[in-house]
Amino acid sequence: MQDESCAPFHMFITMLALLATGSLLLGGDVSEIPRIEDEGGRYRSYGREQDPFALMKQAGWNWVRFRIWNEPKDGYCDKEATLRLAKRAHAQGLRISLDFHYSDWWADPGKQNKPAAWKDLPFDGLEKAVYDYTKEVVGAMIAQGTRPYMVQVGNEVIGGMLWPDGKVSSNEPEGWKRFGRLLKSGLKAVRDAQGEGPKIHTMIHIDRGGENNASVWFFDHLAKQGVEFDAIGQSYYPFWHGSLSDLRENLNDLARRYRKDVYVVETAYPWKWDEHPGPHVYNGGKLLDGFPATPEGQAAFVAELKKILREVPGGRGKGLLYWAPTWITTPKDHSDYENLATFDENGNALPAFRTLGERRL
């Protein structure tokens, strides 16, 4: 077990990285790396194979996110797997964000399924489970010397979480009250777990990057519940969530309106058309003008997002996480996300991987 004796050194390295990238936190959600490696996938820069976290550091990344599933059937993305990944990220001086789904599988706007172990709990028991599990995971991260910088309580929770108990719709007040209580339970667990060390920032994450009306509707209702958190996270996929101008206007308004820092914590853009598309590959026609589906177009998209974040009023635009940049094709499986990753079909880093960190490998 590690302690936090090396924390000052890693904090110094992180601060240098932040200065080098205009004070933005930059990186990606790289939770799938263990699966890729177990299937024989490897990561390279200009043909040279390296540990993916070392490549991130070399590219100037300073931040990664890991999703947490309670008891996934395949064992990936649970507490133990996340602790192992966190050690690898911490060794490279990367800040860590945890994304609690409070589910055994994907939680998103279309589904927020309870973990199987929680499905029969009464509501008070569900609140306690959220508190206990959150505190347990965050505490384990701290104990092994990989203190998280940010914790998301829920993933893309525009419709609430832990359905049906915490589901929200329209202006129905009881659903919002229950949802607020669940969020408060998770947020309190983070505060209680952090102890005397550096503050662990908290985030509420929705998927309405270019939709201001929906974003204001959600955060106004949340404010009525007295939910206290530090930052607003948005997903922004341009083929679903509006134009770059829509994103800019929304982030600027949210920062001013709620006086909170704003982040884009999920995004992606194609670098090619995929001849073997899976459920997550985007081959549609809603690409942005001036951003073709090429390696250069993908990198230009990332650069534009960084520019938008830097121009948020009051310096409130704080960071960018690319979603699944390392989800590559392996000898065992064609990646459902290949044409949106930031590595090519041979595992070589694309320009967007470097643009995320603004440092040439």
Side-chain angles (χ1 to χ4, degrees):
M1 182 175 290
Q2 300 177 3
D3 58 30
E4 293 192 280
S5 60
C6 294
F9 171 75
H10 287 298
M11 289 178 66
F12 173 71
I13 294 298
T14 300
M15 288 305 299
L16 289 179
L18 290 174
L19 289 172
T21 55
S23 298
L24 288 179
L25 286 166
L26 299 167
D29 184 319
V30 295
S31 306
E32 69 283 343
I33 285 177
R35 177 191 289 277
I36 298 300
E37 292 177 332
D38 288 350
E39 293 179 354
R42 296 295 182 264
Y43 300 93
R44 301 175 177 87
S45 177
Y46 302 112
R48 180 188 173 199
E49 183 179 317
Q50 289 185 260
D51 179 272
F53 291 96
L55 288 176
M56 294 170 204
K57 180 181 179 180
Q58 293 167 23
W61 289 30
N62 49 44
W63 193 27
V64 291
R65 187 179 76 169
F66 303 127
R67 60 180 170 268
I68 306 287
W69 292 331
N70 289 46
E71 295 183 18
K73 291 181 180 180
D74 59 14
Y76 295 106
C77 297
D78 65 2
K79 172 188 164 185
E80 288 72 25
T82 301
L83 289 170
R84 291 192 294 270
L85 271 181
K87 287 182 178 181
R88 295 175 66 180
H90 182 74
Q92 299 296 335
L94 302 172
R95 290 192 179 186
I96 296 167
S97 178
L98 297 180
D99 177 13
F100 283 92
H101 284 229
Y102 300 114
S103 181
D104 293 333
W105 199 233
W106 303 103
D108 54 45
K111 57 187 179 299
Q112 295 280 336
N113 299 322
K114 296 178 191 175
W118 299 1
K119 67 182 180 67
D120 295 324
L121 292 176
F123 188 77
D124 288 349
L126 197 58
E127 278 186 291
K128 185 177 186 300
V130 169
Y131 178 89
D132 290 345
Y133 185 67
T134 305
K135 189 176 181 182
E136 173 190 337
V137 174
V138 174
M141 289 281 291
I142 294 170
Q144 74 166 11
T146 57
R147 186 183 196 88
Y149 175 80
M150 180 79 72
V151 173
Q152 288 182 212
V153 178
N155 184 75
E156 294 187 328
V157 292
I158 189 73
M161 66 187 198
L162 293 165
W163 293 352
D165 301 61
K167 189 170 186 176
V168 300
S169 59
S170 187
N171 298 314
E172 193 269 310
E174 290 305 313
W176 280 100
K177 288 178 182 177
R178 291 190 298 269
F179 178 43
R181 287 172 59 182
L182 293 170
L183 287 178
K184 288 176 183 178
S185 187
L187 293 163
K188 184 177 187 302
V190 176
R191 292 192 294 270
D192 290 350
Q194 70 181 1
E196 299 298 322
K199 176 183 174 64
I200 299 174
H201 300 264
T202 55
M203 175 184 288
I204 303 299
H205 168 208
I206 65 172
D207 68 316
R208 294 294 188 269
E211 300 175 36
N212 185 245
N213 288 341
S215 297
V216 170
W217 169 83
F218 177 86
F219 286 106
D220 276 357
H221 276 81
L222 208 59
K224 292 177 183 177
Q225 303 307 314
V227 178
E228 297 182 1
F229 60 98
D230 298 312
I232 292 172
Q234 286 277 10
S235 295
Y236 173 69
Y237 298 94
F239 21 90
W240 298 320
H241 299 145
S243 68
L244 288 166
S245 294
D246 293 332
L247 173 68
R248 180 183 294 106
E249 292 170 7
N250 190 29
L251 294 181
N252 291 352
D253 178 70
L254 295 177
R256 291 191 188 101
R257 185 184 297 264
Y258 302 107
R259 299 182 181 180
K260 292 187 182 295
D261 294 338
V262 295
Y263 295 76
V264 174
V265 290
E266 286 191 28
T267 192
Y269 202 80
W271 62 274
K272 68 168 186 175
W273 300 117
D274 195 328
E275 296 178 358
H276 306 90
H280 301 288
V281 167
Y282 184 76
N283 271 349
K286 293 184 179 179
L287 295 183
L288 299 171
D289 290 342
F291 297 88
T294 64
E296 295 74 21
Q298 183 189 53
F301 171 78
V302 170
E304 187 63 22
L305 291 188
K306 289 161 56 178
K307 181 175 182 291
I308 288 171
L309 283 160
R310 288 197 176 99
E311 293 174 352
V312 172
R316 290 285 194 181
K318 294 297 186 182
L320 171 66
L321 287 169
Y322 196 99
W323 196 80
T326 47
W327 189 357
I328 61 173
T329 289
T330 71
K332 292 185 177 180
D333 187 34
H334 176 83
S335 169
D336 289 341
Y337 207 68
E338 182 175 274
N339 77 333
L340 296 169
T342 61
F343 290 82
D344 68 16
E345 62 273 7
N346 298 312
N348 277 299
L350 293 165
F353 180 80
R354 304 176 181 99
T355 303
L356 271 169
E358 295 185 323
R359 189 180 300 165
R360 186 173 178 80
L361 288 165

